[in-house]
Amino acid sequence: MPANDFSLSLIVGGVRSGKSTHGERLTLALPGPHYYLATAQVQAGDREMQARVDAHKKRRGLQGWAGCVEESFDIEGVFNNAPMGSAWLLECLPLWLAANAFTPDTPMQDEAWVHRRCERLLDIWRSRKLHVVAVSAESSLGLMPMDAVGRRWIDLLGRMNQTLAAQASDVWFCSCGIPMK
């Protein structure tokens, strides 16, 4: 693909499916410079989540990466300031969605809100001619949650994945460490 075109690769899969590793490989194969946008929030005292974040940092190191930005809320602002034509690994969409759609100060968001946020991101990526590899979780392979909040979460995640997949250059599904296009 020419360096001046927008591109989006969407990677979905379950926990520990190999999404992140595949995303890192795909991003580093794109024209650079390469950036990592990490959306995880670690709550005070959450050692298990901190260990996950630390493992990601250790695995990727900084070799090949021009930088890493940690932002859970305003990823649009990060991308608006991204170098034109740069390559980005967006890790991970479900954590960004949770941080923004389920805030204590606002009512639970709906699917139209998710669609608007995705369209806003797509517009920014196109205008900045970014190459984005976005990592998400597959929403429809597990059990239906028993409570309304869990069901809303699955609906929002599914809508986000569908909206982005419809505009993606390629979509990958990872399972057991094997990426499938």
Side-chain angles (χ1 to χ4, degrees):
M1 102 195 55
N4 62 351
D5 290 341
F6 150 81
S7 67
L8 169 63
S9 295
L10 179 64
I11 303 171
V12 298
V15 174
R16 300 275 194 236
S17 63
K19 303 180 304 286
S20 299
T21 302
H22 185 59
E24 291 164 8
R25 280 193 302 260
L26 283 180
T27 305
L28 291 173
L30 292 167
H34 306 99
Y35 296 90
Y36 198 109
L37 175 51
T39 64
Q41 290 182 24
V42 180
Q43 305 298 324
D46 188 345
R47 290 188 210 128
E48 188 273 337
M49 186 62 169
Q50 186 62 58
R52 286 174 181 264
V53 169
D54 292 345
H56 273 249
K57 287 179 179 180
K58 183 179 180 183
R59 185 185 66 244
R60 76 174 175 261
L62 286 178
Q63 188 172 5
W65 299 98
C68 178
V69 178
E70 295 179 2
E71 177 58 53
S72 302
F73 298 100
D74 185 21
I75 64 173
E76 292 97 334
V78 171
F79 287 120
N80 266 324
N81 293 301
M84 189 72 80
S86 53
W88 287 81
L89 176 59
L90 171 51
E91 169 81 52
C92 85
L93 283 164
L95 293 177
W96 168 77
L97 180 64
N100 288 271
F102 297 96
T103 63
D105 302 330
T106 60
M108 194 180 321
Q109 301 296 339
D110 61 12
E111 290 185 36
W113 175 88
V114 169
H115 184 78
R116 286 190 305 274
R117 292 294 296 264
C118 289
E119 289 298 326
R120 197 175 317 153
L121 281 171
L122 288 160
D123 288 345
I124 294 166
W125 296 341
R126 284 185 189 101
S127 72
R128 308 283 311 152
K129 298 180 179 359
L130 300 179
H131 303 287
V132 178
V133 176
V135 175
S136 190
E138 176 50 58
S139 62
S140 61
L141 294 176
L143 299 172
M144 178 61 75
M146 298 291 287
D147 60 76
V149 172
R151 288 188 298 274
R152 171 65 82 187
W153 163 249
I154 293 298
D155 290 344
L156 296 180
L157 182 59
R159 176 59 52 214
M160 179 182 62
N161 288 345
Q162 288 182 44
T163 300
L164 293 175
Q167 300 298 314
S169 310
D170 54 298
V171 178
W172 295 84
F173 179 75
C174 288
S175 180
C176 305
I178 300 171
M180 297 165 271
K181 198 170 185 180

